[in-house]
Amino acid sequence: MLRRRYYRILLFFARTIFGIIWWEMILPKLGLRRLSRATRSDRITRIARRFRALAVQMGGVMIKVGQFLSARLDVLPREVTDELMGLQDEVQPEPFEPIKALIEEEFGKPLEQIFDEFDPIPFASASIGQVHIARLHLNDSQISEYPDVVIKVQRPHIEEIVKIDLSALQIVGGWVQKYKPIRKHADVPKLLNEFSTTLYEEIDYIHEGKNAEIFKENFKELTYVRVPNVIWSHTTKRVLTLENVLAIKITDYELIEKAGIDRSAVAKRLFNTYLKQIFEDRFFHADPHPGNLFVQPANDGEDPENWKLTFVDFGMADTLEDKTYEGLKEAVLAVGTQDASRLLKSYQILEVLLPDADLELLERASQRVFDRFWGKSTTELMSMHAREAHEFMKDFEDLLYEMPFQAPENIILLGRCVSILSGICTGLDPNFNVFENLVPYTGKLAGTEGEGRWSIIWSEITRMFQLVLRLPTRADNLITRMEQGRLDVRVPALSREMDRMRRSQRKTTTAIIFTAFLLSGVQFYLAGEVLFSSVSAGVALILLIWIMLSR
């Protein structure tokens, strides 16, 4: 069964890669680029749907791969990421008997001796495990404080499935790395290694329990955030027992409103907790999908405003390295002060720019975004006229075509987290304004780093003064180069377009010659001239290979 699974994964990706090579490499080199472009969106959507169906049917790592790919906006088309967004909601639960057997194997006793009550119908089901509601024996003094618990149980044989799936994906990663557009933006084998490390941590429930305790410690001073206690006496590598803190699902808007809780306040609190996680704790819950976030109303007799935001499932959590933290801090300060050059600096610190990125063009595009879109709510951004987006794309067509970004593996989880978080906040409050909620934190960050308002202003004055001091020297160098005839005018977009035109012209000419030899070979073959037919076919084959391999 596992061997069949292995070959099924390889066959799916081999078929997909062959289709990409045919449509994106061979046909354009034969002069059919327009056909390739016209059908691209539909083809990509079909591939994403086929993968989604495969992932839902196979489960295990394939679901995780889909969730991982849904966050790769820097590498994959929007059609793929949109199609794979909801994969976590489609996982079928395991039958109860294998789950019961696994629990009994872990604790070495019958299920009835471990729990007073155990609901055989899972409360939630995910790719790695599923969650059941239970009640512990009350005569155990160590656990009497938290008798109502949730039990997270791994799917049977998940470790073997993870191992076989990852071995197949390593081979696929080697294939994909040979494709230049992908290789240009990502080191696929390295990303797979990082993905494997994260996945093996996620199937270790001891590791997840420790993550939950770190998170609880970080928020111990904030009474409006609730984190479940870990029941270590009933926790193993494959079974995790937690205090039951389930409440209103964060996307159940009707129940939230019935409880008298302001949805916009929930969005703001959720956003602020993540700012704290990222910029103060440097340890963040990386999987904030709706099944992992709850709103707990205030108890009877309490102030209705004493509701709590509850986090569960800490299998995906990450710690920010110093360099990543510095880059993110710089980005937040840049957005808060609408400073495009500072935003560019944050990209460089985070190492998300390709080596040949046009920095000047990227800075101008960033400033345009600040000037036009800064301060807009999500609703306002969505209602903006399509003509404005078209004008932006026209002005920065070369930048959008090249997409000079790459995502290092250390911020992939963060990127996915922010993407999901943004959707949840907008769902709670359609008028949620990221800028308004970010600006107060910008001041807090600036104050923490000794970069208050006057410090920032003084920094800008110093930078401008240094620029003015350098102007005479730069002007003298410019005049000298003009006098010596060594002045070069570089227009990156024009140069690239000219190169593309020259390559296209060469390929078109070669394609015409290829077609002539191919047709001649067919005619010679029909006339019975086998020798001339073979020679013509051989020349046509050589020309076809040259077209495919030429840049």
Side-chain angles (χ1 to χ4, degrees):
M1 179 180 175
L2 289 178
R3 182 176 293 272
R4 186 184 305 168
R5 182 184 183 93
Y6 176 82
Y7 286 115
R8 189 177 179 188
I9 294 172
L10 291 182
L11 183 62
F12 173 85
F13 283 103
R15 177 187 173 190
T16 301
I17 291 170
F18 178 78
I20 292 172
I21 291 172
W22 174 257
W23 283 97
E24 301 295 336
M25 297 177 68
I26 296 178
L27 290 185
K29 291 178 182 293
L30 293 176
L32 298 175
R33 185 178 301 275
R34 183 172 296 179
L35 174 64
S36 173
R37 287 181 176 176
T39 59
R40 182 174 294 152
S41 181
D42 289 340
R43 285 186 285 107
I44 291 173
T45 301
R46 284 197 299 271
I47 290 171
R49 286 175 181 168
R50 285 199 300 267
F51 177 82
R52 182 175 186 147
L54 177 75
V56 171
Q57 188 177 9
M58 296 184 71
V61 177
M62 301 310 293
I63 293 285
K64 288 294 178 185
V65 170
Q67 294 171 350
F68 174 79
L69 294 177
S70 70
R72 293 314 308 257
L73 298 173
D74 59 320
V75 175
L76 295 172
R78 191 79 198 188
E79 293 91 340
V80 174
T81 56
D82 286 348
E83 186 67 31
L84 301 181
M85 277 292 183
L87 263 176
Q88 66 265 10
D89 297 325
E90 301 182 36
V91 185
Q92 294 299 315
E94 287 284 338
F96 176 62
E97 286 305 319
I99 293 295
K100 178 183 177 182
L102 188 148
I103 295 174
E104 292 178 341
E105 179 184 345
E106 287 295 291
F107 294 106
K109 60 177 76 172
L111 189 70
E112 294 76 15
Q113 295 181 19
I114 309 171
F115 304 102
D116 278 342
E117 299 175 17
F118 191 98
D119 190 347
I121 301 174
F123 173 81
S125 180
S127 56
I128 300 300
Q130 59 192 48
V131 176
H132 291 262
I133 306 298
R135 186 174 181 83
L136 298 173
H137 284 303
L138 294 178
N139 58 1
D140 190 335
S141 60
Q142 292 182 337
I143 57 177
S144 59
E145 188 178 354
Y146 312 110
D148 296 314
V149 295
V150 294
I151 313 298
K152 189 173 180 181
V153 189
Q154 282 186 12
R155 292 176 180 268
H157 312 296
I158 191 65
E159 287 194 46
E160 293 90 339
I161 291 173
V162 166
K163 184 177 179 180
I164 201 73
D165 286 6
L166 289 176
S167 63
L169 291 174
Q170 290 290 350
I171 293 176
V172 173
W175 296 344
V176 173
Q177 191 68 9
K178 298 182 187 300
Y179 185 46
K180 185 179 178 181
I182 294 293
R183 186 173 67 247
K184 180 181 179 182
H185 286 275
D187 184 341
V188 177
K190 189 175 182 181
L191 289 176
L192 278 173
N193 288 335
E194 182 70 17
F195 174 72
S196 301
T197 301
T198 303
L199 190 57
Y200 276 116
E201 288 179 351
E202 194 171 349
I203 62 175
D204 180 357
Y205 285 170
I206 299 293
H207 179 79
E208 179 175 343
K210 292 178 179 177
N211 283 343
E213 290 197 329
I214 293 172
F215 196 89
K216 189 176 183 68
E217 177 67 20
N218 290 341
F219 280 91
K220 65 181 180 181
E221 303 296 332
L222 301 181
T223 57
Y224 56 78
V225 174
R226 191 178 184 191
V227 182
N229 289 285
V230 181
I231 314 299
W232 287 109
S233 60
H234 288 64
T235 295
T236 69
K237 186 177 180 180
R238 297 196 292 171
V239 178
L240 176 63
T241 303
L242 299 165
E243 172 192 7
N244 189 342
V245 294
L246 301 177
I248 302 173
K249 194 174 181 180
I250 201 165
T251 51
D252 196 336
Y253 308 136
E254 184 178 352
L255 283 181
I256 291 175
E257 291 176 348
K258 282 184 178 179
I261 300 172
D262 183 3
R263 284 166 51 181
S264 63
V266 177
K268 185 173 182 178
R269 180 172 293 182
L270 178 62
F271 186 78
N272 286 336
T273 61
Y274 267 89
L275 289 176
K276 177 185 183 307
Q277 292 173 54
I278 294 168
F279 294 105
E280 295 181 28
D281 306 330
R282 303 196 195 183
F283 179 83
F284 65 97
H285 183 291
D287 195 18
H289 73 74
N292 293 338
L293 295 167
F294 299 89
V295 178
Q296 179 186 323
N299 296 324
D300 293 338
E302 288 186 347
D303 186 341
E305 295 299 318
N306 289 340
W307 57 271
K308 292 179 172 62
L309 184 64
T310 303
F311 290 80
V312 300
D313 194 343
F314 298 89
M316 292 178 66
D318 199 18
T319 302
L320 294 179
E321 299 174 354
D322 290 343
K323 182 172 66 175
T324 304
Y325 168 77
E326 289 299 326
L328 292 172
K329 186 196 73 171
E330 196 71 17
V332 169
L333 290 170
V335 172
T337 57
Q338 304 176 57
D339 188 338
S341 62
R342 191 165 196 165
L343 185 62
L344 205 64
K345 180 183 175 183
S346 74
Y347 294 154
Q348 292 169 324
I349 295 173
L350 291 169
E351 297 181 350
V352 298
L353 292 179
L354 295 171
D356 57 349
D358 189 331
L359 301 183
E360 183 180 348
L361 184 61
L362 185 58
E363 184 174 340
R364 283 197 287 117
S366 301
Q367 191 61 55
R368 174 74 68 84
V369 170
F370 283 146
D371 294 343
R372 188 64 192 90
F373 306 122
W374 199 94
K376 301 287 185 183
S377 68
T378 304
T379 302
E380 290 172 322
L381 289 172
M382 292 178 68
S383 64
M384 294 183 71
H385 201 282
R387 180 168 53 83
E388 295 183 71
H390 177 74
E391 289 175 355
F392 181 86
M393 293 179 67
K394 184 178 179 181
D395 290 344
F396 299 99
E397 181 179 2
D398 191 65
L399 177 66
L400 295 171
Y401 177 80
E402 293 294 339
M403 283 303 291
F405 295 97
Q406 60 183 354
E409 70 282 356
N410 62 335
I411 61 171
I412 292 172
L413 274 180
L414 182 61
R416 178 179 181 273
C417 169
V418 170
S419 176
I420 299 173
L421 181 66
S422 174
I424 292 176
C425 289
T426 303
L428 286 163
D429 179 10
N431 294 314
F432 183 77
N433 192 314
V434 174
F435 303 100
E436 287 182 0
N437 286 277
L438 197 60
V439 168
Y441 215 86
T442 303
K444 186 176 181 179
L445 278 178
T448 302
E449 299 298 322
E451 291 184 28
R453 182 180 178 185
W454 290 108
S455 179
I456 294 174
I457 293 173
W458 177 252
S459 175
E460 289 301 307
I461 292 173
T462 303
R463 186 173 67 85
M464 293 300 296
F465 184 66
Q466 291 173 343
L467 180 62
V468 171
L469 287 179
R470 289 198 301 266
L471 278 176
T473 302
R474 297 180 70 178
D476 183 62
N477 290 337
L478 176 62
I479 294 171
T480 301
R481 291 173 66 87
M482 291 176 64
E483 290 175 343
Q484 296 174 352
R486 296 188 296 110
L487 182 64
D488 297 324
V489 179
R490 292 180 292 177
V491 185
L494 181 59
S495 299
R496 283 193 287 269
E497 187 61 30
M498 291 296 291
D499 288 340
R500 282 198 289 267
M501 290 177 63
R502 283 193 290 267
R503 288 197 298 269
S504 177
Q505 185 179 27
R506 287 199 302 269
K507 291 174 184 176
T508 301
T509 303
T510 308
I512 293 172
I513 299 172
F514 158 76
T515 305
F517 273 100
L518 182 62
L519 293 176
S520 297
V522 173
Q523 291 177 342
F524 281 129
Y525 179 79
L526 294 175
E529 298 289 346
V530 179
L531 177 61
F532 289 110
S533 173
S534 300
V535 171
S536 296
V539 174
L541 178 61
I542 293 172
L543 291 171
L544 177 61
I545 293 173
W546 184 87
I547 293 172
M548 292 174 59
L549 297 179
S550 63
R551 297 179 59 186

